[in-house]
């Protein structure tokens, strides 16, 4: 054996494999085999049994070989050639990470639907597109004003995710990124990616109406968890020839246990609102749909969502804003202002809290609601299966005259994407046919909410 051959490469050759044939045997790419043999990357736990079997050695022997391969790499002196190799490893790591993140060949919400199959039917919402824990999704919508929110100053720790080595790329220095959001910032570069304070779900009860308790977290803390889980699933899906991977290939997801327990999984449930323009004359009701631009947002690009939809978070980290904005309605109003009217994001850049009672457009929104021309409903919570991201499902029903007054300046595009319309309009007919036709373009939570809304249309749209 010559010095340039690593211990792992030697065993591969002894077993009669080329890098290409071993990669084919394990359903991975040749570059991964090369990184294993150079000691710059280690096989993931679920890959090791198949690798050991292919090399006709035990798992203990494989661990020793991998250790010696890594030691050989660490003991090499730094030379211009090794620097070039390190740079090449960084490029390959980042390219492979982007390849997995973008998951070639994915159609619409395909991966979300596949991820839902990991969970029993009892944990899936009607239609099977999203998940719902015990008491999460209500049988019938309730008025938004009946939903009770409780505040807690207690910061309850959640169990951190296991090693993230398999879902993070290398930085330019050859080190693993510290978090998924930092990798997205550097390698994806979306226009909107800001670490804001968010409201963290601590508990949920629906025995006597819907009640939720919240503390605080940050957008990046939740984003890192959700994106790591999604990336792990995509990688395992690609490695399994585009079939549903087994739980042994999803160690991060498996370690969470109960995904509906806020003590096991960090959650900050955003608010998705189906907005219906209620036609009081001939019943030709319509709804508003939004296609998110993948170049502007960090996730959800390319799919259509109900509108508005956003994070449940205060406008700033100031304690006055944290308490002042702790309201589902005030968050929905801010999203109406930003997504429907194209106003700048209400990010607490002013020196005082938002005066919702007197500032426009909030004053007009409040008046419309007080006069009964704008009504809001809450369906409870659902969870997107791919990311295990919780979302609050709400509906806003706005009388036609009120809608046309409040949203006379409805924009075609906003900071996150564009409004989808039909026949020269910026809305869609609220019909079963339209929902079915749009189905393939809709996110899982949007499709679920639209079908629930259609099912309960008499309750939602009645006088």
């Amino acid at each position: 054996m010559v010095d340039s051959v690593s211990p792992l490469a030697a065993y591969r050759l002894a077993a009669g494999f080329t890098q290409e044939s071993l990669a084919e045997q394990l359903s991975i790419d040749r570059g991964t085999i090369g990184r294993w043999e150079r000691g710059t990357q280690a096989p993931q736990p679920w890959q090791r049994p198949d690798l050991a079997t292919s090399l006709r050695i035990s798992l203990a022997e494989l661990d020793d070989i991998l250790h010696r391969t890594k030691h050989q790499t660490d003991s090499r002196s730094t030379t211009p050639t090794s620097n070039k190799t390190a740079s090449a490893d960084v490029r390959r790591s980042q390219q492979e990470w982007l390849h997995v993140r973008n998951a070639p060949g994915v159609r619409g919400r395909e991966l979300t639907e596949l991820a839902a199959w990991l969970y029993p039917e009892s944990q899936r919402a009607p239609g099977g597109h999203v998940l719902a824990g015990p008491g999460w999704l209500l049988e019938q919508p309730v008025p938004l004003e009946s939903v009770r929110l409780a505040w807690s100053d207690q910061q309850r720790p959640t169990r951190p995710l296991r090693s993230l080595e398999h879902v993070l790329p290398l930085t330019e220095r050859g080190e693993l990124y510290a978090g998924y959001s930092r990798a997205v910032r550097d390698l994806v570069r979306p226009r909107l990616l800001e670490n804001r304070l968010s409201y963290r779900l601590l508990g949920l009860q629906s025995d006597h109406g819907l009640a939720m308790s919240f503390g605080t977290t940050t957008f990046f803390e939740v984003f890192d968890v959700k994106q790591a889980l999604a990336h792990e699933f995509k990688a395992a899906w690609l490695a399994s020839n585009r079939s549903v991977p087994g739980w042994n290939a999803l160690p991060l997801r498996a370690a969470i246990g109960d995904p509906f327990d806020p003590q096991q999984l960090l959650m900050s449930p955003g608010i998705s609102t189906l907005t219906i323009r209620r036609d009081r004359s001939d019943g030709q009701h319509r709804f508003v749909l939004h296609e998110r631009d993948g170049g502007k947002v960090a996730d959800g690009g390319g799919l259509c969502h109900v509108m508005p939809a956003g994070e449940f978070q205060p406008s700033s980290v100031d304690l006055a804003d944290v308490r002042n904005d702790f309201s589902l309605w005030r968050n929905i109003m801010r999203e109406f202002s930003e997504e429907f009217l194209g106003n700048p994001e209400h990010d607490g850049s002013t020196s005082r809290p938002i005066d919702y009672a007197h500032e426009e457009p909030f004053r007009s929104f409040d008046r419309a609601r007080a006069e009964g021309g704008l009504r809001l409903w809450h369906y409870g919570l659902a969870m997107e299966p791919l990311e295990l991201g919780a979302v609050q499902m709400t509906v806003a029903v706005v009388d036609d005259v009120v809608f046309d007054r409040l949203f006379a300046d409805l924009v075609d595009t906003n900071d996150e994407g564009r409004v989808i319309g039909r026949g020269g309009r910026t809305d869609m007919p609220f019909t079963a046919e339209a929902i079915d036709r749009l189905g393939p373009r809709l996110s899982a939570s949007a499709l679920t909410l639209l079908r629930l809304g259609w099912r309960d249309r008499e309750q939602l749209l009645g006088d």
Side-chain angles (χ1 to χ4, degrees):
M1 184 194 312
V2 296
D3 291 340
S4 60
V5 176
S6 72
L8 182 59
Y11 273 83
R12 179 208 11 109
L13 292 169
F17 287 101
T18 62
Q19 285 189 343
E20 291 85 352
S21 62
L22 181 57
E24 183 178 356
Q25 172 87 0
L26 300 175
S27 298
I28 59 177
D29 62 273
R30 175 190 172 185
T32 299
I33 300 293
R35 287 189 290 280
W36 291 352
E37 295 183 353
R38 290 192 298 274
T40 58
Q41 180 180 322
Q44 297 305 316
W46 66 86
Q47 295 171 319
R48 298 190 182 199
D50 289 341
L51 177 58
T53 299
S54 298
L55 300 182
R56 299 191 291 275
I57 56 177
S58 68
L59 283 173
E61 289 174 312
L62 177 61
D63 287 341
D64 177 67
I65 292 166
L66 294 174
H67 175 76
R68 288 192 283 120
T69 299
K70 180 68 165 58
H71 177 73
Q72 182 187 81
T73 301
D74 293 343
S75 64
R76 290 172 181 161
S77 59
T78 302
T79 64
T81 300
S82 64
N83 286 338
K84 291 179 181 178
T85 301
S87 297
D89 287 340
V90 167
R91 287 195 300 273
R92 278 192 295 268
S93 171
Q94 295 179 356
Q95 289 168 358
E96 183 174 308
W97 181 84
L98 288 168
H99 175 79
V100 171
R101 178 175 171 80
N102 295 329
V106 173
R107 298 180 298 277
R109 59 175 186 275
E110 175 184 3
L111 294 182
T112 292
E113 303 281 5
L114 291 177
W117 285 359
L118 292 168
Y119 300 90
E121 188 175 355
S122 61
Q123 293 183 343
R124 298 180 218 151
H129 308 292
V130 296
L131 307 177
W136 271 43
L137 201 59
L138 307 179
E139 293 184 2
Q140 297 291 326
V142 298
L144 188 75
E145 55 269 21
S146 72
V147 178
R148 304 186 306 278
L149 302 185
W151 176 259
S152 175
D153 288 316
Q154 284 188 317
Q155 293 295 326
R156 303 178 188 175
T158 55
R159 186 167 54 194
L161 292 179
R162 298 173 56 176
S163 172
L164 299 176
E165 179 181 349
H166 61 300
V167 298
L168 295 174
L170 297 176
T171 68
E172 294 301 322
R173 298 177 58 184
E175 304 166 348
L176 279 178
Y177 268 94
Y180 204 97
S181 54
R182 294 184 67 88
V184 170
R185 180 199 63 187
D186 292 349
L187 305 180
V188 181
R189 300 186 183 92
R191 196 162 74 85
L192 297 176
L193 185 64
E194 183 181 358
N195 193 20
R196 298 266 299 277
L197 195 69
S198 298
Y199 296 115
R200 174 191 170 189
L201 181 68
L202 297 176
L204 178 148
Q205 292 182 334
S206 57
D207 297 338
H208 304 286
L210 183 60
M212 295 177 286
S213 60
F214 289 88
T216 58
T217 181
T218 67
F219 175 78
F220 278 2
E221 284 179 319
V222 179
F223 179 85
D224 283 354
V225 172
K226 294 194 301 183
Q227 295 295 306
L229 291 168
H231 195 101
E232 178 184 70
F233 186 92
K234 292 175 183 177
W237 174 75
L238 289 170
S240 60
N241 291 322
R242 292 172 167 75
S243 60
V244 180
W247 280 99
N248 64 329
L250 305 169
L252 297 181
R253 188 177 295 257
I256 289 171
D258 182 2
F260 308 110
D261 183 356
Q263 308 309 312
Q264 298 293 322
L265 178 64
L266 187 64
M267 304 180 200
S268 177
I271 307 172
S272 290
T273 303
L274 165 61
T275 302
I276 303 174
R277 180 185 181 275
R278 177 175 174 261
D279 190 321
R280 296 177 300 169
S281 58
D282 57 10
Q284 300 298 310
H285 314 302
R286 306 183 72 87
F287 71 98
V288 188
L289 202 60
H290 186 225
E291 184 178 58
R292 304 189 79 188
D293 185 339
K296 296 180 177 180
V297 296
D299 63 334
L303 286 174
C304 294
H305 300 256
V306 295
M307 183 174 169
E311 302 297 322
F312 184 31
Q313 55 189 197
S315 56
S316 83
V317 298
D318 188 277
L319 183 59
D321 287 327
V322 173
R323 297 301 175 88
N324 187 52
D325 298 338
F326 185 53
S327 158
L328 300 177
W329 169 229
R330 289 182 173 180
N331 272 253
I332 292 172
M333 280 198 291
R334 296 206 310 271
E335 293 297 333
F336 270 132
S337 174
E338 295 164 10
E339 294 190 14
F340 275 61
L341 301 179
N343 290 324
E345 189 161 341
H346 301 281
D347 57 1
S349 57
T350 61
S351 58
R352 57 182 175 77
I354 298 172
D355 185 353
Y356 292 95
H358 299 96
E359 292 182 25
E360 291 292 353
F362 311 116
R363 180 172 177 270
S364 294
F365 292 156
D366 262 335
R367 178 182 296 177
R369 188 181 180 198
E371 294 174 350
L374 190 159
R375 291 173 290 167
L376 294 124
W377 305 83
H378 204 299
Y379 270 103
L381 273 67
M383 179 175 283
E384 292 272 1
L386 180 61
E387 299 180 343
L388 295 186
V391 59
Q392 300 182 67
M393 313 273 272
T394 64
V395 179
V397 177
V398 190
D399 287 346
D400 46 11
V401 175
V402 177
F403 185 100
D404 295 343
R405 182 180 72 247
L406 293 177
F407 305 122
D409 297 322
L410 179 65
V411 297
D412 294 322
T413 61
N414 55 38
D415 284 344
E416 297 185 358
R418 65 188 184 95
V419 180
I420 302 298
R422 179 181 175 218
R425 297 179 58 121
T426 50
D427 53 20
M428 302 293 295
F430 185 54
T431 63
E433 179 191 12
I435 295 170
D436 287 342
R437 284 184 178 275
L438 290 165
R441 299 178 62 186
L442 296 171
S443 69
S445 59
L447 178 58
T448 300
L449 181 53
L450 272 164
R451 286 183 171 165
L452 290 174
W454 179 253
R455 183 196 69 185
D456 300 323
R457 60 191 180 279
E458 292 186 6
Q459 177 182 353
L460 297 171
L461 298 168
D463 291 327

